Amino acid sequence: MGTHRMSPENVERFINEQLKEDLRVYEKRLKELNAEMLEYVQLKHMIETILTQDNRSVFKTQVNVGGNMFIKARAENVEHILVDVGLKVYVEFKIEEAIRFVEMKIKVLTKEVDVVREKSIETRAHIKLALLVIGDSQQLHTTQDDR
């Protein structure tokens, strides 16, 4: 039985075409998940602010209308709020239900971030290992050639 050895060129091609592409995908997904989690954390803080108010009949705030431009807003009734539950689908929640949903969503996103981060770390380790293998094999070839 013959053993199949990958040449340093093939390993390098695998690193560039597969591993680095996987790493790019993981980093992009991490960025998206962190942005989504930030939105839910901000929503949680807003809901907590509403819950600490004695008078919930009127709530004044500033709303981001895009490009970090804000306008003043006033809600007449904050007993119910609309929450984006994903895929641009909004569900009306009572304020107490909304805080429970947001906390659950943050936990789910945190676990997903942890999984993707682990995959990213694992891929980085594979890249480093492959580069070490290339370096060692090139060093081995030069020492054998010197003999």
Side-chain angles (χ1 to χ4, degrees):
M1 271 194 181
T3 59
H4 181 267
R5 292 185 50 144
M6 289 185 71
S7 68
E9 294 81 21
N10 288 342
V11 174
E12 195 170 331
R13 189 174 320 114
F14 176 72
I15 291 170
N16 290 325
E17 292 176 2
Q18 185 66 45
L19 294 178
K20 285 188 178 179
E21 179 61 23
D22 289 349
L23 186 60
R24 188 190 66 73
V25 169
Y26 293 142
E27 295 297 323
K28 181 182 177 201
R29 183 68 181 137
L30 271 175
K31 196 176 194 180
E32 292 168 353
L33 287 170
N34 284 327
E36 186 177 358
M37 193 163 25
L38 178 62
E39 288 180 15
Y40 279 107
V41 167
Q42 289 173 339
L43 178 59
K44 180 182 176 190
H45 290 307
M46 186 194 74
I47 293 171
E48 288 171 342
T49 301
I50 292 170
L51 288 172
T52 59
Q53 287 185 338
D54 293 330
N55 181 10
R56 289 194 209 165
S57 62
V58 175
F59 181 73
K60 294 180 182 178
T61 187
Q62 292 185 344
V63 177
N64 187 347
V65 292
N68 282 333
M69 298 192 59
F70 293 84
I71 60 170
K72 290 182 180 180
R74 189 174 108 188
E76 297 295 330
N77 182 357
V78 289
E79 290 300 319
H80 293 85
I81 64 170
L82 293 175
V83 177
D84 182 355
V85 295
L87 299 174
K88 301 296 180 199
V89 174
Y90 290 84
V91 175
E92 184 175 338
F93 287 105
K94 288 185 179 179
I95 199 79
E96 292 81 9
E97 295 171 330
I99 192 77
R100 285 194 305 272
F101 172 80
V102 168
E103 287 171 345
M104 182 270 311
K105 188 71 173 178
I106 291 170
K107 284 180 186 175
V108 169
L109 288 171
T110 301
K111 288 184 189 224
E112 195 172 344
V113 163
D114 290 343
V115 168
V116 174
R117 186 175 290 127
E118 279 299 316
K119 288 181 180 180
S120 175
I121 290 169
E122 188 177 301
T123 303
R124 286 177 194 270
H126 288 152
I127 291 171
K128 285 183 180 181
L129 182 62
L131 290 174
L132 284 173
V133 167
I134 291 172
D136 286 348
S137 71
Q138 288 175 346
Q139 193 174 33
L140 182 64
H141 289 301
T142 56
T143 25
Q144 287 178 350
D145 291 344
D146 292 343
R147 291 184 191 178

